[in-house]
Amino acid sequence: MKKIIFLFLLAWINVNAQKELWGVNDGDYVNVPGFPFNYGKIVKFDINGENSEVMHDFDSIQGYRPLGRLFLASNGKLYGTAVVGGETGPVVTIANAGVLFEYDLILNKYRVVHYFGSDNIGYTTPEIGVIEPTPGILCGATLNRIYNYDIVTESMTFSNPLLYQNIVTGELMKASNGYIYGVSYGGYCQNITSPLPYLGNIIKYDIVTNNVSFAHSITCPQRELKGAGPRNQLVEASIGKLYGTCRSGGINEFNDPDNLKGGTLFEYNIDTDAYTKKIDFDFPTIGAYPLNLVIGDNAKIYGICEEGGASQSCDPTNNFGTLYEYTADTNVLEVKQYLNLCTTPIRYPQFLMRTSNGHFIGIAVDGNIFKYDAVTNVITYISTFYKPLNLIEICRKPSYHFFDVDTFTPCVNSPFTFDVQNTNASSYTWKKDGEIVPMQTTGVLTISNSTASDSGNYTCEMVNECGTTVTMVLHVNVGCLGIDEMAAYNKLITLYPNPAQDVMNIKLPENGNLKIEGYTISNMLGQAVFISKDNNARINTANFAAGLYNVVLQTDKGNWLGKFIKE
């Protein structure tokens, strides 16, 4: 029995080791000397929100400033949006209008699949992520249009525009009746010329007919009665009943017109179209400015307020937000945590999610992560250098780097190694021409003394608890017939940014068979201005004079020649 328990525990640990949290941050755009602009990043963490790693850096060419949540589609790839960028779309009508992107979790490759500026003047600026209500079809929204993207055909269709001054402000969701729902915010009560000065709407979208309508609208006189400014994804806590929050409005904001700190929690019945305000938030006790909701155990709903809540004895002048539990059946809201700087540096929560291990993961205003255990009612602070806006959980199958070079010609009697660069597989099986290669049980193919019999087409089958990945084919031709291996790499090495200001980076092929052994930088007169035997791919150019420079990169496969401009 003890062995069975141990094996079960080991299997549970391995499964959870493959589960990761992925998110985006939107950059800071501060020009720090020696560092490039931060246009935003895709970042991953372990299941506990620790051990962060940057997986992609956004740029102005292929989209930047991602705001929406990532989504794991049925094809095993991540999809997301960036609000701006996309200067090089195929038919750009409006440059920098945002993009829909794809991230391949197996090959760790980023790709823009749609440039929003190439469509029409109104089809721009996607501030939310996507969902997959129908297999193979992603659904999201620009500022005022819902769109469908076909993963297979890579085609995009748009709905009719929303009404005047309406902005989609939260990810969409598919309800139990088959329709897609979301929220929008639009219009200002002060603008009496606006034909529809709504303070918020529940959007209903029929993916079959491509028709979008308002299932419910909040008019200006209803601010106190219903709330105003719904901003987040709706949740279906029980069949037929959607729940959401309005960031402002409600009775408590009405009673405190100077501070305007309130908000509401509402219920929408998709069968009767009935909208019911359930909770009025207030600043001093349960908090104000409510954000997204998360479903917990026993249909309980958990949420956060960005500000407010009871002040703490160590800091009585500040109210840094709350984490609460709401029971729909009894309409009871209970504050579980008053956030403060007394015990943990967590303030102004911005986002909340629940992981498969039962914990809640939150993100504070400074981007730091916290974990909440609803059973023990304990909150734990987790610091992180990379500040995510939001997170999703994925179970990632074994990954590897795309083979920029897939054909090699080692010499007879020489060693040959090839690393697929995997870190998350539990077993490896190498095959040559479909047959298992004995004694090759790691992610590195190792041939000590190459012979003609080692020639063939190799693949590596990698397995973990999330699935199986088979790599692309690696072609090995033993012979060494005077073929210059460096020639295969010449077009794959790049310098960026180019022109450079303070820093220039050397981008090598993603497979690690090429190693830097040094480099020489010279001006156009042939005078060497910098010589290094370092293997660092990041060069400080801050002290270089403006002009054109040559680079001779020494590698273990030969030399590479390049040029860059110093601004």
Side-chain angles (χ1 to χ4, degrees):
M1 180 61 71
K2 290 183 180 179
K3 291 183 179 180
I4 294 175
I5 294 174
F6 173 77
L7 290 174
F8 173 79
L9 178 61
L10 182 61
W12 182 87
I13 292 173
N14 287 335
V15 170
N16 281 273
Q18 312 307 328
K19 293 182 178 178
E20 300 170 338
L21 303 179
W22 285 61
V24 296
N25 69 26
D26 63 344
D28 52 28
Y29 314 116
V30 177
N31 189 12
V32 179
F35 292 90
F37 284 103
N38 177 13
Y39 291 105
K41 303 176 185 296
I42 297 176
V43 186
K44 78 174 180 71
F45 306 82
D46 65 23
I47 191 65
N48 295 310
E50 301 174 325
N51 300 311
S52 60
E53 181 181 351
V54 174
M55 305 305 293
H56 175 74
D57 284 291
F58 289 90
D59 58 49
S60 62
I61 304 301
Q62 298 189 73
Y64 66 97
R65 198 167 178 244
L67 297 181
R69 201 174 182 184
L70 296 173
F71 181 82
L72 180 61
S74 57
N75 64 353
K77 298 179 181 180
L78 288 178
Y79 289 86
T81 60
V83 175
V84 285
E87 298 174 354
T88 57
V91 188
V92 174
T93 305
I94 311 168
N96 295 314
V99 301
L100 173 67
F101 64 82
E102 170 191 278
Y103 187 88
D104 191 320
L105 289 165
I106 291 178
L107 295 176
N108 291 305
K109 292 182 73 71
Y110 173 95
R111 181 173 73 101
V112 174
V113 297
H114 183 79
Y115 295 87
F116 284 99
S118 63
D119 297 298
N120 185 281
I121 192 169
Y123 302 172
T124 64
T125 319
E127 292 191 356
I128 67 170
V130 297
I131 62 172
E132 189 176 9
T134 301
I137 303 296
L138 303 181
C139 186
T142 59
L143 283 185
N144 69 344
R145 282 176 171 83
I146 292 176
Y147 61 82
N148 293 322
Y149 174 78
D150 190 309
I151 294 175
V152 176
T153 64
E154 298 191 351
S155 59
M156 182 77 76
T157 58
F158 290 85
S159 72
N160 57 296
L162 297 180
L163 299 179
Y164 181 76
Q165 286 188 344
N166 274 273
I167 299 173
V168 181
T169 52
E171 267 80 10
L172 305 172
M173 59 87 66
K174 185 177 182 179
S176 56
N177 61 358
Y179 291 103
I180 297 168
Y181 291 87
V183 295
S184 70
Y185 177 72
Y188 298 91
C189 296
Q190 296 88 340
N191 185 1
I192 60 175
T193 63
S194 168
L196 290 169
Y198 291 153
L199 292 176
N201 303 279
I202 296 177
I203 303 168
K204 182 179 181 180
Y205 174 62
D206 188 333
I207 195 171
V208 177
T209 64
N210 200 31
N211 182 60
V212 61
S213 60
F214 291 155
H216 186 83
S217 298
I218 302 172
T219 61
C220 292
Q222 298 173 322
R223 183 184 190 107
E224 175 187 355
L225 179 65
K226 295 182 177 181
R231 299 291 177 93
N232 293 280
Q233 187 177 40
L234 300 169
V235 298
E236 189 168 8
S238 59
I239 296 178
K241 293 183 178 180
L242 309 183
Y243 292 86
T245 60
C246 287
R247 184 163 171 78
S248 57
I251 187 66
N252 292 309
E253 180 187 278
F254 180 78
N255 290 334
D256 187 14
D258 294 329
N259 288 324
L260 295 177
K261 293 179 178 178
T264 63
L265 187 153
F266 64 84
E267 174 190 281
Y268 176 73
N269 191 310
I270 61 177
D271 296 322
T272 64
D273 288 329
Y275 176 104
T276 307
K277 180 182 68 174
K278 307 298 290 187
I279 297 292
D280 281 289
F281 290 93
D282 69 338
F283 184 84
T285 56
I286 62 176
Y289 300 153
L291 294 170
N292 72 295
L293 301 175
V294 180
I295 299 175
D297 291 332
N298 301 319
K300 291 184 182 294
I301 298 173
Y302 290 81
I304 49 177
C305 287
E306 184 178 5
E307 294 188 20
S311 59
Q312 305 299 297
S313 58
C314 71
D315 190 6
T317 61
N318 289 304
N319 310 76
F320 290 123
T322 62
L323 188 154
Y324 62 85
E325 176 189 274
Y326 174 70
T327 305
D329 291 342
T330 59
N331 195 37
V332 173
L333 185 147
E334 178 185 358
V335 176
K336 308 298 289 187
Q337 290 284 334
Y338 293 102
L339 304 186
N340 60 82
L341 300 182
C342 303
T343 56
T344 57
I346 305 171
R347 59 177 182 170
Y348 306 134
Q350 305 291 302
F351 172 81
L352 189 69
M353 67 168 291
R354 192 177 189 226
T355 61
S356 59
N357 60 10
H359 292 149
F360 292 86
I361 297 290
I363 302 174
V365 68
D366 54 7
N368 284 321
I369 296 173
F370 61 89
K371 181 169 64 175
Y372 173 70
D373 188 325
V375 177
T376 62
N377 194 32
V378 172
I379 193 167
T380 306
Y381 166 75
I382 303 170
S383 177
T384 176
F385 180 77
Y386 304 108
K387 314 297 185 182
L389 296 174
N390 46 57
L391 294 166
I392 65 165
E393 179 183 334
I394 65 170
C395 189
R396 189 159 64 120
K397 296 196 298 184
S399 62
Y400 69 100
H401 281 285
F402 180 82
F403 300 169
D404 286 326
V405 177
D406 63 3
T407 301
F408 294 88
T409 309
C411 297
V412 175
N413 297 325
S414 66
F416 174 76
T417 62
F418 187 88
D419 188 354
V420 299
Q421 299 188 43
N422 169 269
T423 59
N424 68 333
S426 56
S427 68
Y428 304 84
T429 302
W430 282 92
K431 294 183 179 181
K432 187 187 78 170
D433 299 327
E435 299 294 329
I436 295 177
V437 181
M439 308 301 292
Q440 301 287 343
T441 58
T442 72
V444 181
L445 175 66
T446 302
I447 302 174
S448 300
N449 295 289
S450 301
T451 66
S453 62
D454 292 316
S455 297
N457 300 317
Y458 291 79
T459 57
C460 184
E461 183 177 291
M462 304 177 290
V463 179
N464 68 14
E465 290 75 11
C466 301
T468 301
T469 298
V470 179
T471 67
M472 58 190 294
V473 178
L474 174 69
H475 307 281
V476 177
N477 303 309
V478 179
C480 194
L481 300 177
I483 297 175
D484 182 8
E485 188 175 343
M486 191 62 194
Y489 291 105
N490 281 333
K491 295 182 180 181
L492 301 174
I493 301 173
T494 57
L495 304 175
Y496 72 96
N498 194 359
Q501 293 181 342
D502 299 319
V503 173
M504 184 189 68
N505 300 285
I506 303 171
K507 184 180 185 301
L508 299 178
E510 292 185 356
N511 188 273
N513 282 281
L514 190 67
K515 295 180 175 60
I516 297 175
E517 295 180 341
Y519 45 83
T520 300
I521 299 176
S522 58
N523 58 27
M524 296 311 295
L525 298 176
Q527 300 166 328
V529 297
F530 189 78
I531 299 175
S532 175
K533 294 299 182 183
D534 194 356
N535 61 0
N536 192 357
R538 183 183 178 92
I539 303 172
N540 188 337
T541 58
N543 296 324
F544 287 21
L548 182 64
Y549 291 86
N550 291 316
V551 179
V552 178
L553 179 68
Q554 293 98 37
T555 79
D556 61 336
K557 300 293 189 293
N559 292 344
W560 176 85
L561 306 179
K563 298 180 185 292
F564 76 96
I565 298 173
K566 169 63 169 66
E567 292 184 331

